[in-house]
Amino acid sequence: MHCVYKVTNGIWWIGGNERKLSVFEGAIPMNDGMAYNSYFIDDEKTVVLDTVDKSVAGVFYENVDYMLDGRSLDYVIVNHVEPDHSASLEELIMRHPEAKVIGSKKIKAMVKQYVTWDVDKYFEEIKEGDELCTGSHTFTFYMAPMVHWPEVMVTFEKSTGSLFSADAFGIFGAHDGNIFADAYDFELEWLPSARKYYTTIVGKYGSFTEKLLGKVGGLDIQRICPLHGFIIRKDFEKYINAYITWARYESEENGVLILYASPYGNTKNAAEILACELAEDGVTRMKLMDVSHWDPMDVLPQAFRYNHIVIACTTYNNGIFVKMEEALGEMKSMGVCNKKVSIIENGSWNPVSGKLIKEFFEGLQNIEFVGDIVTIKSSVKEDSAQAVADLAKVIAASVQAQA
Ligand SMILES: Cc1cc2nc3c(=O)[nH]c(=O)nc-3n(C[C@H](O)[C@H](O)[C@H](O)COP(=O)(O)O)c2cc1C
């Protein structure tokens, strides 16, 4: 049975929600499901804006049929060819061979790689700034390369001020009934999920995201309709500011993220002593994460978030502990930079993890080391406890200097 939602005059949400998914794109753990948004334009001409993932295709086809109510489908606008948005394009066109597929040259080339039908026959190529009028709605197209994939474009509908933003402003999580962001708590529900989505999906392409925000900044935007998550129609500034902060690799919190790796608990002990000392020294914004427990994709958003990062890590077969290596690898892959870094190493016979971690961070951009590497031989003793407390003082002073 169809399940649609009115967005505004002549615009309907016709997507679907998946709630069984525990790993997105085979790499990102998630537990709150995923919304695959697709939109229908009910006008003299009928339009579907992007399609959905295979997992929710069944209800999507029912939604399209319900909205068409016997009419023919005139256009399918494709903003992003990634299969979580285009997997059902193949069958949609087979069901509606009367439709024209609208997209850029790059989109056309990529659609050809995914579908079996004769793309040249169905495709109408558009360029940046081109307009499509469907009666009372007028769509303008803007290229948004690398706001996740190279072919991405966004579409602006003038009469309602609706920006169909592709993956930009997407978040993880299925809809809990309401499709509008203002029905959810910004700090508790939108921000953590958006941060994880941005840093794990779009993270590396911050400059492209900022370019897109500049490009569409002059439009009279009344609502932002992303391909995942909720439609934003109020308080644009707080959502956009969060995006600009991430896109510029600016930290949200003047505080300390402590990441530790500790097979037998002694390095953890050092990390906790450090955290208590930091608290004593007046640091209020802090997060401790055991990298053996957290997936690197959950560590990454916190690495974006805090301006100070402490790595407390055992030496492991003459290297960095494997789970820490994975977390650091993800940070490198997503271009984490502009951080103040401190290091605690542990080793029972030849501690080298500190030196290797320092070398790793020297390979990232704009990293400042705070304090010297603290070395622990197996377990924390009086002298190493003092060294940890001294390190806490230096970090706390650095945090206070940023306040
Ligand atoms: C599998 C394994 C490999 C290790 N390899 C090294 C090593 O190459 N060099 C070293 O000095 N210590 C090595 N250690 C010791 C740890 O670095 C650390 O001193 C010890 O595990 C105590 O810290 P923890 O309680 O935080 O695990 C190794 C420990 C484990 C479990």
Side-chain angles (χ1 to χ4, degrees):
M1 176 57 79
H2 66 269
C3 179
V4 301
Y5 206 123
K6 186 171 180 180
V7 176
T8 189
N9 292 346
I11 302 183
W12 293 74
W13 178 87
I14 56 163
N17 283 289
E18 158 67 37
R19 291 189 180 80
K20 282 202 182 85
L21 196 64
S22 56
V23 180
F24 184 67
E25 288 181 353
I28 306 164
M30 52 186 292
N31 50 23
D32 218 7
M34 194 62 161
Y36 299 101
N37 298 337
S38 168
Y39 301 94
F40 186 88
I41 310 302
D42 193 358
D43 203 348
E44 286 168 32
K45 301 276 184 194
T46 55
V47 185
V48 167
L49 270 129
D50 290 293
T51 64
V52 295
D53 189 67
K54 266 201 181 108
S55 59
V56 295
V59 73
F60 166 72
Y61 300 131
E62 291 208 46
N63 289 345
V64 173
D65 286 348
Y66 172 74
M67 292 307 306
L68 285 173
D69 193 22
R71 291 173 292 177
S72 57
L73 176 59
D74 294 301
Y75 298 111
V76 182
I77 296 174
V78 179
N79 284 307
H80 186 13
V81 187
E82 195 173 7
D84 56 336
H85 309 296
S86 74
S88 39
L89 176 64
E90 169 87 330
E91 190 171 331
L92 183 68
I93 294 305
M94 286 177 170
R95 289 172 181 233
H96 293 280
E98 75 278 10
K100 280 279 172 209
V101 181
I102 306 282
S104 65
K105 188 176 182 174
K106 275 189 186 161
I107 285 181
K108 181 177 178 182
M110 208 177 270
V111 167
K112 277 187 181 175
Q113 294 169 188
Y114 278 104
V115 302
T116 54
W117 30 261
D118 179 0
V119 174
D120 290 320
K121 185 175 148 203
Y122 291 103
F123 212 91
E124 236 171 62
E125 211 174 291
I126 51 82
K127 296 186 301 301
E128 169 102 13
D130 280 358
E131 285 194 348
L132 172 76
C133 185
T134 58
S136 58
H137 297 84
T138 305
F139 299 88
T140 314
F141 307 103
Y142 299 90
M143 302 306 130
M146 295 324 294
V147 181
H148 199 202
W149 277 24
E151 86 295 356
V152 173
M153 62 179 211
V154 300
T155 299
F156 181 66
E157 199 292 300
K158 216 190 296 184
S159 72
T160 57
S162 304
L163 178 69
F164 297 93
S165 62
D167 271 347
F169 296 97
I171 72 170
F172 290 122
H175 299 151
D176 291 314
N178 215 304
I179 60 167
F180 296 108
D182 47 277
Y184 298 84
D185 186 293
F186 176 77
E187 298 282 343
L188 287 176
E189 293 171 299
W190 192 86
L191 200 56
S193 188
R195 184 189 295 119
K196 180 166 173 181
Y197 183 87
Y198 180 89
T199 58
T200 58
I201 304 264
V202 189
K204 202 171 185 167
Y205 308 111
S207 63
F208 296 95
T209 308
E210 217 183 336
K211 212 177 270 178
L212 170 66
L213 292 174
K215 197 184 263 193
V216 299
L219 300 173
D220 180 19
I221 297 173
Q222 298 300 314
R223 66 189 58 70
I224 298 172
C225 306
L227 288 176
H228 298 289
F230 310 124
I231 294 166
I232 299 167
R233 57 179 180 177
K234 286 182 187 164
D235 306 324
F236 292 101
E237 216 165 275
K238 64 184 184 188
Y239 299 94
I240 290 171
N241 284 348
Y243 247 71
I244 289 175
T245 301
W246 298 324
R248 291 182 181 164
Y249 287 102
E250 287 169 0
S251 304
E252 292 164 77
E253 303 274 7
N254 180 25
V256 187
L257 169 67
I258 303 172
L259 301 178
Y260 67 83
S262 182
Y264 293 109
N266 294 289
T267 316
K268 172 190 178 212
N269 183 222
E272 288 188 326
I273 292 169
L274 180 84
C276 287
E277 294 284 348
L278 285 169
E280 288 264 310
D281 293 335
V283 177
T284 52
R285 309 300 297 164
M286 254 190 287
K287 185 153 188 73
L288 274 103
M289 295 179 96
D290 185 330
V291 294
S292 298
H293 170 75
W294 289 100
D295 191 277
M297 295 294 190
D298 288 307
V299 172
L300 184 65
Q302 303 306 324
F304 266 71
R305 187 177 175 192
Y306 287 89
N307 58 354
H308 292 75
I309 300 178
V310 178
I311 307 290
C313 184
T314 53
T315 302
Y316 187 70
N317 301 332
N318 265 331
I320 300 170
F321 186 71
V322 61
K323 292 292 176 185
M324 186 64 81
E325 216 160 37
E326 285 173 15
L328 295 177
E330 202 48 49
M331 287 186 214
K332 185 174 183 181
S333 145
M334 285 307 191
V336 167
C337 56
N338 308 333
K339 300 293 172 191
K340 297 182 189 308
V341 173
S342 308
I343 301 166
I344 299 173
E345 67 176 354
N346 193 343
S348 287
W349 59 94
N350 179 33
V352 293
S353 55
K355 176 178 159 283
L356 297 171
I357 289 163
K358 188 158 192 243
E359 282 168 12
F360 167 84
F361 277 103
E362 281 165 352
L364 306 187
Q365 281 186 359
N366 194 22
I367 299 296
E368 186 190 313
F369 293 98
V370 176
D372 295 327
I373 297 173
V374 172
T375 301
I376 290 156
K377 284 283 195 86
S378 302
S379 68
V380 182
K381 304 287 187 200
E382 289 300 320
D383 57 341
S384 47
Q386 187 55 53
V388 169
D390 292 345
L391 179 63
K393 291 248 172 316
V394 185
I395 298 170
S398 173
V399 170
Q400 266 125 37
Q402 302 289 307

